[in-house]
Amino acid sequence: MALVTTAEVCDANPQLILSGELRALQPVFQIYGRRQVFSGPIVTLKVFEDNVLVREFLEEKGNGRVLVVDGGGSLRCAILGGNPVVQAQNNGWAGIIVNGCIRDVDEINGCDIGVRALASHPMKANKKGMGEKHVPINIAGTRISDGEWLYADTDGILISRTELAV
């Protein structure tokens, strides 16, 4: 998607926006990581102040996928840190969206992966392994389902029911 911006996708697809097949997330996320432009099929995860399942996903081969984590919008601790992001980069994940906080920002900013999160926080998460995998989630004003496609650049984040011909 390096040649087509999210703004151009929106301009070229008003019918998909009207039908709800193409949605833009509310602009609440900070940009981290070296890869500012990324896209891929979505894997969803719902957790709250617990990062065990986040780490488990990122230990798998990413195959160009994007992990979208609904962390409940918590600003009390980080559910993603530098080590899992390095693993995600090495395992071929395209990006990670966190509706919550991250930490180890300098380390994450050195990684060739796209990361979006609400903020950074120095405190670590719980390690109980609680959460739900592959479930529909609601973040930044948008319902997101496993298997949909995500397109991110410096203008914003789009969610599409299917892969776009960009």
Side-chain angles (χ1 to χ4, degrees):
M1 197 181 94
L3 301 176
V4 180
T5 68
T6 55
E8 291 169 327
V9 169
C10 289
D11 292 351
N13 294 286
Q15 72 287 356
L16 294 180
I17 295 169
L18 281 174
S19 72
E21 290 181 46
L22 180 65
R23 290 109 52 214
L25 297 188
Q26 294 169 346
V28 297
F29 296 99
Q30 304 297 313
I31 297 174
Y32 303 98
R34 285 199 339 244
R35 193 179 301 175
Q36 294 191 334
V37 177
F38 61 95
S39 62
I42 294 170
V43 177
T44 59
L45 178 59
K46 186 173 190 167
V47 299
F48 187 72
E49 298 181 357
D50 188 317
N51 71 349
V52 171
L53 297 179
V54 176
R55 292 181 75 104
E56 285 179 5
F57 263 118
L58 298 176
E59 288 170 356
E60 298 174 8
K61 291 293 180 199
N63 299 315
R65 295 176 296 170
V66 178
L67 180 61
V68 181
V69 183
D70 180 2
S74 174
L75 301 176
R76 300 189 307 188
C77 67
I79 58 173
L80 181 68
N83 290 337
V85 173
V86 169
Q87 272 191 315
Q89 168 196 259
N90 295 341
N91 286 336
W93 289 85
I96 308 163
I97 309 293
V98 178
N99 184 36
C101 293
I102 65 169
R103 68 183 199 165
D104 306 322
V105 171
D106 290 341
E107 185 176 4
I108 290 170
N109 284 341
C111 292
D112 183 25
I113 190 170
V115 177
R116 302 290 190 274
L118 298 179
S120 61
H121 198 294
M123 293 179 66
K124 67 181 178 180
N126 295 316
K127 304 211 180 301
K128 297 178 182 172
M130 303 293 290
E132 298 176 89
K133 302 176 182 182
H134 307 290
V135 295
I137 58 176
N138 288 290
I139 64 170
T142 303
R143 182 176 175 87
I144 301 171
S145 296
D146 212 67
E148 291 188 303
W149 278 73
L150 183 140
Y151 300 87
D153 64 14
T154 54
D155 282 335
I157 302 169
L158 298 177
I159 305 296
S160 175
R161 290 207 179 112
T162 58
E163 183 176 7
L164 298 173
V166 291

